[in-house]
Amino acid sequence: MTSTNTIIQFENVTKQYDNDSVVLDHVSFEIEKGKFYTLLGPSGCGKTTILRLIAGFTEASSGTIYFNGKRINDVPANKRQVNTVFQDYALFPHLNVFENVAFGLRIKKMKNADIAIKVKEALRFVNLEGYEKREIKEMSGGQRQRVAIARAIVNQPEVILLDEPLEGLAPIIVEELLRLIQTLIRDEGVTVILVEQSATKILP
């Protein structure tokens, strides 16, 4: 029986690509609200495919995906309360920090005054207040990752997906980002799903 606290549910989900390779075979699980989950495993085991299915970037071959109890198999990515932080950050190099974080809000045609408030709050949360005009090329890897997280949280999603965000970062930056994630869960009630190939980086 599905818990009333369940936010994401996979029910016998299979993903098979055109070359007949089956990445996920009748996978079922539940994710509860406001918790931190980690998907661990080697490259090619289906971790990122699960994230892409949740985000709506790819479609399940069979099975059902639920979000807050509602079937979302056919719901487009831009209609889901989910934001993804990619391994390569996927930031826009021609936009400064402010405009990178504001991008999703501008797509929603939010008023400039409201955008300014929300971006400032998001940058304060990730300890980048005052970096609004900084160019992306001038930021370190850890700072770019925080910009990517700010861009994700500014839209106030219910779920944030992190696709190997710790790769290539120094241990001290990894610790800082993990603390940031825990604060996000505690203060905002967001559900976070982190993908990594090994538990080494996330274990104390």
Side-chain angles (χ1 to χ4, degrees):
M1 180 178 293
T2 302
S3 167
T4 56
N5 203 38
T6 297
I7 189 168
I8 295 169
Q9 181 185 3
F10 273 43
E11 188 176 87
N12 294 316
V13 173
T14 294
K15 178 59 181 178
Q16 183 173 3
Y17 289 101
D18 293 337
N19 60 3
D20 293 330
S21 62
V22 178
V23 181
L24 301 176
D25 188 8
H26 293 90
V27 172
S28 298
F29 62 82
E30 293 182 12
I31 298 290
E32 292 189 357
K33 298 176 183 178
K35 292 189 177 182
F36 182 17
Y37 291 84
T38 304
L39 301 179
L40 297 174
S43 179
C45 73
K47 307 182 305 297
T48 296
T49 298
I50 288 175
L51 292 195
R52 291 178 61 81
L53 286 165
I54 294 171
F57 297 146
T58 190
E59 297 181 5
S61 302
S62 63
T64 308
I65 302 172
Y66 297 95
F67 192 95
N68 282 329
K70 297 181 180 179
R71 184 181 184 276
I72 60 168
N73 291 53
D74 303 319
V75 175
N78 65 337
K79 299 295 184 181
R80 301 188 186 194
Q81 287 296 308
V82 177
N83 272 85
T84 305
V85 177
F86 300 96
Q87 183 179 353
D88 62 358
Y89 316 139
L91 299 174
F92 301 110
H94 62 289
L95 300 179
N96 62 21
V97 169
F98 181 96
E99 291 301 332
N100 263 280
V101 177
F103 184 79
L105 302 179
R106 295 202 185 284
I107 293 295
K108 295 178 179 179
K109 301 186 183 303
M110 187 175 289
K111 294 181 179 179
N112 287 337
D114 293 333
I115 289 175
I117 292 172
K118 285 185 172 295
V119 171
K120 185 175 182 178
E121 290 175 349
L123 289 176
R124 182 188 299 120
F125 187 88
V126 299
N127 298 316
L128 285 178
E129 192 173 11
Y131 285 75
E132 288 85 351
K133 296 182 179 180
R134 189 73 61 90
E135 297 296 324
I136 294 301
K137 64 183 179 181
E138 299 173 342
M139 309 289 281
S140 68
Q143 288 173 331
R144 292 182 188 186
Q145 189 60 274
R146 282 187 279 159
V147 173
I149 292 175
R151 186 175 64 181
I153 67 175
V154 78
N155 290 297
Q156 297 180 305
E158 292 189 55
V159 176
I160 291 181
L161 309 174
L162 303 171
D163 191 4
E164 298 191 42
L166 310 179
E167 290 302 309
L169 299 180
I172 189 170
I173 302 299
V174 170
E175 291 180 13
E176 178 184 341
L177 287 174
L178 289 175
R179 285 197 299 270
L180 180 61
I181 291 168
Q182 294 288 2
T183 301
L184 183 64
I185 295 167
R186 183 187 68 238
D187 294 354
E188 305 295 328
V190 176
T191 303
V192 176
I193 304 175
L194 169 73
V195 159
E196 284 292 336
Q197 293 190 31
S198 168
T200 303
K201 283 185 174 290
I202 60 177
L203 291 176

